[in-house]
Amino acid sequence: MIYYVTGPVTILEPGLAVIECGGVGYGCRITAFTAAQLKLNQQARLYVCESIREDAHELFGFSTREEQHCYELLTSVTGVGPKAALAILSAGGPQNFTLAVMTGDEKLLTAAQGVGKKIAQRIILELKDKVGGSDMTLDFTGVKADAAPAAGSSTALASAALQELGYSAAEISTALKGCPPSATTEEMVRYALRAMVIKG
């Protein structure tokens, strides 16, 4: 199993990046989100998911573990193959995908080429509890007990979505400070992401 490849980007085309590693060029199918993080002839690390069939052995590369995880979630849904998963992540990146599932926004998903309403509904139905559903058990390790939001609240759902993107409970708690408690779940996620981008 290949977990990631690291090396210079020798070929960069729409939907494809070739990483040279140990004298071997690994061709990886990529999203527009990952392509935006890469530059030709510069070092890069891509986290890899493999697809092995009788007629093909393909590698799918992602610039972050969060996007890799979102791809794995998408391809676990009945009827969603690698092509559709890449299209969805290309359309809005892992953040918008997480928001779409968490808020039940079919339009964000159907904006991806080849993704119809039925597939979008199935994705939301099957993944809702895995990316911030109200029944999800949240991990607030390291956060003061009185700081943990009530399960099912906008803050709890926003926190769950941010944890799905790889942020720790402590980072989320800090990023959400100052966010109006009356804000919607989507507004809270965007507020926190902006705060963490500025901080980073």
Side-chain angles (χ1 to χ4, degrees), residues 33-141:
F33 176 85
T34 286
Q37 321 299 317
L38 304 177
K39 290 186 179 179
L40 194 62
N41 300 320
Q42 290 195 9
Q43 286 285 119
R45 170 175 289 181
L46 292 182
Y47 295 93
V48 171
C49 287
E50 296 180 83
S51 175
I52 302 174
R53 304 191 307 272
E54 288 184 8
D55 58 343
H57 181 183
E58 292 184 295
L59 301 179
F60 299 89
F62 307 94
S63 60
T64 66
R65 292 178 64 187
E66 290 74 32
E67 189 185 27
Q68 179 193 41
H69 181 55
C70 288
Y71 172 84
E72 290 171 342
L73 285 173
L74 277 164
T75 52
S76 73
V77 176
T78 305
V80 179
K83 186 176 180 179
L86 290 181
I88 290 169
L89 292 172
S90 287
Q95 290 89 348
N96 279 348
F97 159 68
T98 302
L99 280 173
V101 175
M102 183 181 62
T103 59
D105 190 341
E106 295 173 15
K107 290 183 179 179
L108 275 177
L109 297 175
T110 54
Q113 185 176 2
V115 178
K117 187 174 180 179
K118 287 185 178 180
I119 289 292
Q121 290 174 338
R122 187 179 302 150
I123 290 169
I124 291 169
L125 179 66
E126 292 191 24
L127 300 183
K128 186 177 181 182
D129 290 341
K130 298 180 181 179
V131 288
S134 59
D135 294 331
M136 187 175 182
T137 301
L138 306 180
D139 179 12
F140 292 100
T141 304

Side-chain angles (χ1 to χ4, degrees), residues 2-10 18-26 28 38 42-48 59 62-63:
I2 300 173
Y3 190 77
Y4 63 77
V5 291
T6 302
V9 180
T10 57
V18 176
I19 307 291
E20 185 176 331
C21 183
V24 178
Y26 290 87
C28 300
L38 304 177
Q42 290 195 9
Q43 286 285 119
R45 170 175 289 181
L46 292 182
Y47 295 93
V48 171
L59 301 179
F62 307 94
S63 60

